[in-house]
Amino acid sequence: MKLPAIALKANAKSAVIDILNARLADAIDLALITKQAHWNLKGPGFIAVHEMLDPMRADLDTHVDIIAERVAQLDGIALGTKEVVAKTSTLGAYPTDIRKINDHLAALADRYAALANQVREDIDATDEAGDADAADILTAFSRDLDKNLWFIKSHLE
């Protein structure tokens, strides 16, 4: 029995799945990085930044799930294991020897900006591949990344 499928060409599905899995690895990595900072920052303004980071992590977790589910909807395999994330994340390694709030915020800002800029490129790539839904998913992700980058940078000014 042949089940109905999303009407995208196989090569388009493959391209979109690859893009989404790449961003899935980055998003999982950024979620872990955000918690690393949340747990370890110290200094004036601690509670404000500490409490700011939890909703950012929650935003990332929501997008991780949506991205992974789109991969599954396209008949792909969502690749979110620690091995895949460690091997394929494009984000720079997060320093584990920092404590000062501004050091954490600067490190977070670099990684949020890098992912936000990559996601914007991927919006165009998934749209060009013919998957407006994946482009829409990435657009929502981009909005949250940009908003959270703004919050982080505002603490640094």
Side-chain angles (χ1 to χ4, degrees), residues 86-97:
K87 182 179 172 184
T88 63
S89 175
T90 63
L91 302 181
Y94 195 80
T96 57
D97 61 345

Side-chain angles (χ1 to χ4, degrees), residues 53-70:
L53 294 177
D54 271 335
M56 290 182 180
R57 168 64 189 260
D59 287 347
L60 289 164
D61 289 343
T62 296
H63 291 290
V64 160
D65 197 48
I66 292 167
I67 291 166
E69 288 175 354
R70 184 62 182 165

Side-chain angles (χ1 to χ4, degrees), residues 36 40 91 120 129:
Q36 179 69 24
N40 292 293
L91 302 181
R120 267 187 289 288

